[in-house]
Amino acid sequence: MKLIVSNSPHLHSSESIEKIMWSVIISLLPSGLMGILLFGVKTFWIIFFSVLTAVITEALCNIITKKRLTIYDGSAFLTGLLLAYNLPPTVPFWIPIVGSFFSIVIGKQVFGGLGQNIFNPALVGRVFLMASWPKYMTNFITPINKFYPFRLVKCDSITSATILSLLKEKKNFSVSYLDLFLGNKGGCIGEVAVFLLLLGALYLLIKKYILLYIPLSYIITVAILSYIFGPNGLFTGNWLLSILSGGLILGAFFMATDYVTSPLTKKGQLIFGIGCGIITSVIRIWGGYPEGVSYAILIMNAVVPLIDRYTKQRIFGR
Amino acid sequence: MKINLKEFLKGIISENPTFVLMLGLCPTLAISTTLANAIGMSFAATFVLLGSNIIISLIKRLIPSKIRIPSYIVVIATFVTITELIIKAYSPALDKSLGIYIPLIVVNCIVLGRAEAFASKSNLIDSILDALGMGVGFSLALILISGIREFFGVGKIFGNTVIRGFEPVFLFAMPSGALLIIGILMGFFNFLKNKK
């Protein structure tokens, strides 16, 4: 028998950055496939270019800064994937390429790479694209195929506003909750298929890669606030609609829970989630944009160091 | 008196007011949207810098140290008023596009900073050279930033479209884009400095 004598820590976990990142990617894949099914093959190329650019840019940054090659840990892949999921299916192909490049360089590598960035890189890329080319970033279409359990209905795809824009403009519209849940609505590539996102999130929850503190507090806050401040006066809001539309599920489960940019303690994570919820609701109800998930998460990312500082756990015995 | 060329050169590279001393960022952010604005601002700021440095260097022994800052401001404000009236008289368009940022040169930290840190302690020739060097350094930084911002932000150089079909990065035309570009350029210059 071979005995190893070494310093502590002696307990090792089999988890690693690589394993967690690739698990998150796997949990996100169904939603992307659904996006391709709903919005057509062009969507695949948007995702492909976004991921490819992210990985290449990461490799180039590693080479220029003479650091160890970090493209195999999946974090750049994940950033590219999340960015593509946050784009409308109609964007020209250079949008994901420019966005991914910006995400990796400005969102991540200038801070020193994975673990050092303050802001979620994918959202940095999205907000950059949103600020620079708003006309491409708000050009939404309805799905070319509608998905129902065990059947697929071909549709005429038309340019349309998202549910949240319609809400914002106080227009009348009819939409079934089933359509919202299954993804038959206009929206970004990866955010429409709510049930597949929940399935992916469930996988991550079972593997304990994410905890429920942030997503649950986030979603509940949005639900409560959108119920209270409804369009026709207090306590008239449609809370289910505001959960199921827009990027809330994608943001709450996959982007707000990013390890690097979320608080460490459970109490901090609750504060973080509630803060995200408040900002999202404020933007949705009173702000200029119909959707506020990306801005909410980025703003709360900025206060994470403060939250961590004030929720530091007491050292046992002191 | 001998001319010390080092006092002139330091303002351009090793003590560049924008990228090294990080002074005068407020006008840099605000007016670096187009090259024309940047050049107008460069001349205005350099003129004020030169005038105030000369006067302050000459009267440095007359100013009691307790009220030196108000005294400097009075001198600087005089030159800013002259500049403002000249620009108003000869180039109303430039006056309109620079707007409040001409009178605000009064509180531009480069001008006050050089008055306090240099002109009040140095002789006339050195002060002139320092003012010119700082002015040129500020101008070059401003022109570099505004060139990048005008090209990427609105796709133009001096108001002329350069590349047909180029989709301008609107973010760079906004103040947040200016901060980003200044940050990137600062990082780049620090990188060059550390490499030496």
Side-chain angles (χ1 to χ4, degrees):
Chain A
M1 201 170 83
K2 198 177 160 196
L3 290 172
I4 301 166
V5 180
S6 72
N7 293 329
S8 63
H10 299 295
L11 285 172
H12 287 275
S13 157
S14 63
E15 305 295 356
S16 63
I17 295 173
E18 288 82 7
K19 221 172 141 185
I20 294 173
M21 288 292 171
W22 289 111
S23 301
V24 176
I25 290 165
I26 289 168
S27 71
L28 275 167
L29 281 181
S31 166
L33 291 174
M34 190 59 149
I36 298 169
L37 192 72
L38 292 173
F39 295 115
V41 186
K42 193 193 169 195
T43 317
F44 168 76
W45 293 107
I46 294 172
I47 300 174
F48 176 78
F49 282 128
S50 182
V51 170
L52 188 73
T53 314
V55 173
I56 291 175
T57 312
E58 174 105 347
L60 283 178
C61 286
N62 290 153
I63 292 166
I64 290 170
T65 54
K66 300 193 183 79
K67 293 249 170 69
R68 189 174 54 86
L69 211 57
T70 54
I71 53 171
Y72 301 110
D73 66 11
S75 62
F77 193 109
L78 181 61
T79 298
L81 197 67
L82 278 174
L83 177 71
Y85 280 16
N86 275 298
L87 299 174
T90 56
V91 290
F93 288 136
W94 54 267
I95 285 266
I97 294 173
V98 176
S100 262
F101 178 80
F102 193 86
S103 286
I104 296 291
V105 175
I106 304 293
K108 187 172 161 196
Q109 291 293 343
V110 289
F111 294 104
L114 182 68
Q116 313 283 329
N117 50 311
I118 326 171
F119 299 107
N120 186 319
L123 287 177
V124 170
R126 178 192 147 81
V127 166
F128 164 70
L129 292 174
M130 190 76 187
S132 299
W133 297 284
K135 69 173 176 182
Y136 293 119
M137 292 298 288
T138 50
N139 185 14
F140 292 103
I141 52 167
T142 54
I144 57 167
N145 297 308
K146 279 196 175 177
F147 172 83
Y148 293 103
F150 312 115
R151 74 200 161 96
L152 209 61
V153 183
K154 261 211 157 346
C155 297
D156 290 326
S157 176
I158 50 162
T159 308
S160 88
T162 57
I163 307 287
L164 287 172
S165 317
L166 293 171
L167 265 183
K168 178 126 258 176
E169 290 158 19
K170 300 213 162 109
K171 282 187 183 155
N172 287 322
F173 58 94
S174 62
V175 65
S176 77
Y177 291 122
L178 186 70
D179 272 348
L180 287 179
F181 189 64
L182 293 175
N184 301 322
K185 58 184 170 187
C188 294
I189 294 168
E191 74 183 18
V192 287
V194 172
F195 76 109
L196 289 174
L197 286 171
L198 289 176
L199 203 71
L202 190 69
Y203 169 72
L204 292 181
L205 285 169
I206 290 170
K207 291 209 113 189
K208 291 199 172 151
Y209 288 156
I210 60 174
L211 296 173
L212 265 179
Y213 295 96
I214 294 175
L216 219 55
S217 58
Y218 190 171
I219 292 169
I220 289 174
T221 309
V222 171
I224 292 173
L225 286 177
S226 54
Y227 172 64
I228 294 178
F229 299 103
N232 312 316
L234 289 184
F235 304 105
T236 60
N238 190 338
W239 59 272
L240 194 56
L241 187 74
S242 53
I243 292 178
L244 291 177
S245 49
L248 182 60
I249 302 291
L250 179 67
F253 282 102
F254 293 95
M255 292 192 286
T257 53
D258 177 16
Y259 286 151
V260 183
T261 57
S262 63
L264 297 168
T265 59
K266 285 165 186 168
K267 209 161 104 193
Q269 292 181 350
L270 282 177
I271 297 172
F272 181 82
I274 292 170
C276 284
I278 291 173
I279 298 171
T280 304
S281 304
V282 166
I283 295 175
R284 278 185 180 183
I285 299 168
W286 296 289
Y289 287 112
E291 174 62 309
V293 169
S294 44
Y295 296 97
I297 297 174
L298 283 176
I299 292 170
M300 288 310 287
N301 281 166
V303 295
V304 162
L306 267 182
I307 295 175
D308 272 341
R309 189 166 166 178
Y310 286 108
T311 55
K312 210 189 282 175
Q313 272 161 343
R314 197 170 56 93
I315 296 169
F316 185 72
R318 280 197 198 165
Chain B
M1 261 189 254
K2 79 174 204 310
I3 289 176
N4 195 350
L5 210 59
K6 227 168 71 187
E7 300 295 354
F8 174 72
L9 289 176
K10 73 171 193 290
I12 299 174
I13 298 162
S14 67
E15 284 181 35
N16 187 298
T18 305
F19 293 126
V20 181
L21 304 181
M22 286 191 231
L23 293 173
L25 286 182
C26 162
T28 310
L29 290 174
I31 59 92
S32 62
T33 44
T34 63
L35 269 169
N37 274 356
I39 290 170
M41 186 67 177
S42 302
F43 277 110
T46 309
F47 173 73
V48 174
L49 199 50
L50 185 63
S52 64
N53 256 19
I54 290 173
I55 299 291
I56 288 164
S57 166
L58 287 174
I59 63 170
K60 57 180 182 275
R61 291 206 176 77
L62 298 178
I63 303 172
S65 75
K66 276 183 184 163
I67 55 155
R68 65 184 192 285
I69 301 290
S71 315
Y72 297 159
I73 293 287
V74 170
V75 174
I76 295 164
T78 312
F79 283 99
V80 172
T81 314
I82 296 171
T83 319
E84 195 191 354
L85 291 176
I86 290 175
I87 292 178
K88 265 196 175 36
Y90 289 98
S91 175
L94 185 66
D95 178 65
K96 209 170 178 187
S97 68
L98 290 181
I100 186 71
Y101 292 99
I102 298 270
L104 277 182
I105 299 175
V106 176
V107 285
N108 188 323
C109 3
I110 301 175
V111 183
L112 192 61
R114 292 330 286 176
E116 163 79 7
F118 196 88
S120 61
K121 293 168 193 147
S122 314
N123 64 32
L124 182 62
I125 304 289
D126 281 354
S127 296
I128 292 172
L129 288 171
D130 178 73
L132 287 176
M134 285 293 158
V136 171
F138 180 60
S139 308
L140 287 178
L142 212 51
I143 289 166
L144 182 64
I145 294 165
S146 64
I148 295 174
R149 279 186 73 190
E150 192 179 0
F151 178 71
F152 286 107
V154 284
K156 292 174 176 175
I157 295 279
F158 285 116
N160 305 312
T161 308
V162 192
I163 304 170
R164 216 166 283 245
F166 173 73
E167 305 256 1
V169 190
F170 185 60
L171 179 79
F172 287 171
M174 294 192 283
S176 48
L179 280 172
L180 261 177
I181 289 172
I182 292 175
I184 293 168
L185 286 173
M186 228 172 246
F188 178 69
F189 285 123
N190 278 337
F191 173 72
L192 289 185
K193 208 167 83 184
N194 294 340
K195 221 176 168 186
K196 274 174 198 165

